[in-house]
Amino acid sequence: MNTLVLSYIFLITIFWVVYCEEQYCPIDNPEDCIEKKEDNIYKKDLNKQYIKYYNAIEEAQKNYKICNNTNNGCYKDIIINDLKPFKKKGISKDLINIAKTRGTVYQIIQGKLYRQKDCMFPSRCSGIEHFLLKLAPGLTDMDLVINVRDYPQSSKHFGGPLPIFSFSKTPEYYDITYPAWAFWEGGPAISLYPRGLGRWDEHRVSLDKASKNTLWEEKENKAFFRGSRTSSERDNLILLSRKKPNLVDAQYTKNQAWKSNEDTLYATPASEVSLEAHCKYKYLFNYRGVAASFRHKHLFLCRSLVFHVGDEWTEFYYNAMIPWIHYIPVSKDANQTVLGELIQFAIDNDETSKKIADRGRDFIWNNLKLSDVTQSWKNLLKKYSKLLTYKTTLDKSLIKVEGKERS
């Protein structure tokens, strides 16, 4: 073979080595190399487009430590922070008397539970009493003012802190966060759940079964939402769904306030969808309602990736869950472009999406059992009772709460 031919072969070899180096493609198959080169260019473009999301995930992972839930350790910070305003001066009888006008009055006296005669939402009171009755024999005497409305009551903009228990709040309120009544009874009632969501222990079982029946690879590769129009924050996702139905299936259902199609953004109301049927989709959106959303914990058990919208309204366990570790955070003001990009990011990064979905599911499954909810109530009430500066005596206007049989 003459020198000219050898030189030509050498130059060709160098060309393909340099051209294919990044793809590690075989030198004897250059057409394969071109294919991979084009693919790599596409991925580089994706990397540039999604760099802010990759950075957010990297930052979250760098600072993430799995919480130790021994003795409810994952939720100790919320108790400490909520009781902090009362730590210096304690909780006086005068504070309790002021708070009484904004909630339902309870007493625990000698291991027995008492409540004011009237309750604004009887099923919600019943959901609370399930836990209080179980714990009362092991607790000291105390007065409690428990808010069973959706909205918190002790605003930081109007007066000092009041010892009022609420299930959900924003940073603008002093209310003491307690585990919602809906873990047992009194959750939102719709046609599919006429008695309300309730019975978290039963939903855990049914949702776990549904998630196993539809593996990640078998789920529909789109985002999903069903719910009524309790907040306009949901509108952009609904409108995006109408433009890009292959990307997201989001529709409004009726609620008690529905009067016409105007209340569902000029569309016929969609049928309600069971929680278990949500598990068919890879990506599930959670929006707040009037306050925090009761469906939040349920969605994670689908082993689907949860897009959690907004960070103001929280329940007692929210702060133990970390954005980009357990779920994808979404601004409440996200427009259709941002929503579409976030969904597409999840689709284009399937392995990452699955990891976040799995971590979210495992957190709820391992750390939010009904026993964890009971333990959180117990820890909260024990620490709260130590702040009372007076001796609690029985208010004879209250009625004794008796336990009711329920399987």
Side-chain angles (χ1 to χ4, degrees):
M1 191 175 293
N2 60 38
T3 305
L4 184 62
V5 173
L6 286 172
S7 298
Y8 177 76
I9 293 173
F10 175 76
L11 288 173
I12 289 293
T13 302
I14 291 298
F15 171 79
W16 286 116
V17 166
V18 171
Y19 191 72
C20 298
E21 180 181 9
E22 198 172 330
Q23 291 74 36
Y24 305 102
C25 51
I27 197 69
D28 56 349
N29 206 350
E31 68 276 4
D32 215 24
C33 181
I34 293 169
E35 222 175 273
K36 290 181 181 179
K37 181 72 175 178
E38 290 173 349
D39 181 57
N40 191 67
I41 290 169
Y42 174 67
K43 287 179 179 176
K44 279 185 176 179
D45 288 341
L46 281 182
N47 288 344
K48 186 181 292 185
Q49 179 185 356
Y50 299 139
I51 189 68
K52 57 183 178 288
Y53 303 136
Y54 295 134
N55 288 342
I57 292 171
E58 184 180 356
E59 189 66 23
Q61 290 175 340
K62 185 168 60 178
N63 299 316
Y64 176 57
K65 292 182 181 178
I66 298 175
C67 64
N68 180 1
N69 207 34
T70 303
N71 195 31
N72 227 228
C74 290
Y75 314 124
K76 65 180 181 180
D77 288 347
I78 185 71
I79 296 175
I80 292 170
N81 291 335
D82 282 357
L83 296 179
K84 190 175 182 180
F86 307 101
K87 190 172 182 180
K88 188 174 181 180
K89 294 183 179 179
I91 299 172
S92 67
K93 184 66 175 177
D94 287 341
L95 276 182
I96 292 291
N97 286 336
I98 297 170
K100 281 181 178 180
T101 61
R102 307 191 193 183
T104 302
V105 178
Y106 283 91
Q107 284 190 321
I108 294 174
I109 303 288
Q110 296 182 355
K112 307 295 183 184
L113 181 64
Y114 300 86
R115 190 200 73 219
Q116 68 181 61
K117 185 176 181 181
D118 298 321
C119 173
M120 183 179 292
F121 300 102
S123 63
R124 295 184 178 188
C125 284
S126 181
I128 291 166
E129 289 158 12
H130 167 79
F131 297 100
L132 297 186
L133 283 166
K134 186 178 292 188
L135 294 170
L139 296 172
T140 57
D141 295 353
M142 69 183 81
D143 287 312
L144 298 163
V145 180
I146 301 181
N147 170 33
V148 293
R149 299 179 181 92
D150 290 324
Y151 224 75
Q153 299 295 308
S154 182
S155 172
K156 291 182 179 179
H157 302 290
F158 302 99
L162 292 174
I164 301 172
F165 290 77
S166 291
F167 93 95
S168 172
K169 68 174 184 176
T170 74
E172 303 302 308
Y173 290 86
Y174 288 115
D175 298 51
I176 301 164
T177 314
Y178 69 90
W181 54 82
F183 280 100
W184 186 257
E185 191 174 345
I190 59 176
S191 61
L192 293 174
Y193 306 102
R195 294 181 61 187
L197 289 179
R199 291 306 298 264
W200 171 236
D201 54 338
E202 294 179 355
H203 278 301
R204 279 172 56 89
V205 174
S206 63
L207 284 165
D208 187 56
K209 181 179 179 182
S211 73
K212 290 174 180 175
N213 286 341
T214 309
L215 300 178
W216 176 265
E217 296 76 17
E218 299 166 351
K219 292 176 185 285
E220 288 196 41
N221 200 27
K222 62 168 64 175
F224 184 79
F225 174 79
R226 284 293 184 279
S228 61
R229 193 173 181 243
T230 52
S231 169
S232 61
E233 291 174 12
R234 307 174 174 195
D235 287 356
N236 276 329
L237 188 71
I238 303 298
L239 295 173
L240 177 63
S241 175
R242 295 175 187 176
K243 289 180 183 176
K244 298 185 176 182
N246 292 331
L247 189 70
V248 54
D249 179 354
Q251 300 179 57
Y252 279 138
T253 59
K254 282 185 180 181
N255 62 13
Q256 296 91 331
W258 186 88
K259 295 177 181 177
S260 70
N261 287 348
E262 184 178 351
D263 295 324
T264 45
L265 286 189
Y266 303 97
T268 302
S271 299
E272 292 162 347
V273 174
S274 71
L275 291 166
E276 290 77 13
H278 282 62
C279 297
K280 295 192 304 182
Y281 299 88
K282 276 191 177 181
Y283 317 110
L284 301 175
F285 269 77
N286 179 70
Y287 284 91
R288 74 173 181 91
V290 178
S293 167
F294 288 113
R295 85 182 77 199
H296 178 271
K297 56 187 175 292
H298 298 79
L299 299 182
F300 286 94
L301 292 188
C302 276
R303 287 186 173 88
S304 298
L305 176 57
V306 174
F307 288 77
H308 179 53
V309 183
D311 60 0
E312 292 179 314
W313 289 94
T314 58
E315 291 191 61
F316 83 96
Y317 66 92
Y318 277 28
N319 289 344
M321 301 188 75
I322 312 300
W324 299 107
I325 295 292
H326 300 115
Y327 61 90
I328 288 186
V330 184
S331 168
K332 66 177 182 178
D333 301 315
N335 59 30
Q336 294 177 50
T337 301
V338 171
L339 292 171
E341 183 182 273
L342 274 168
I343 297 167
Q344 194 62 53
F345 165 77
I347 292 171
D348 291 337
N349 293 269
D350 190 70
E351 186 177 340
T352 297
S353 295
K354 185 178 186 302
K355 285 179 180 177
I356 297 174
D358 287 342
R359 283 196 296 260
R361 180 266 175 193
D362 289 347
F363 179 91
I364 295 293
W365 183 258
N366 294 326
N367 303 311
L368 203 62
K369 303 180 292 295
L370 210 56
S371 59
D372 296 312
V373 177
T374 303
Q375 185 65 43
S376 191
W377 263 113
K378 182 179 180 180
N379 291 351
L380 173 60
L381 294 179
K382 282 193 167 186
K383 286 180 171 57
Y384 163 84
S385 65
K386 291 177 181 178
L387 295 172
L388 298 177
T389 60
Y390 63 95
K391 181 177 174 58
T392 306
T393 56
L394 179 62
D395 181 345
K396 293 184 180 179
S397 70
L398 304 186
I399 61 172
K400 184 180 178 183
V401 179
E402 304 285 357
K404 60 180 181 180
E405 294 296 325
R406 187 172 176 184
S407 60

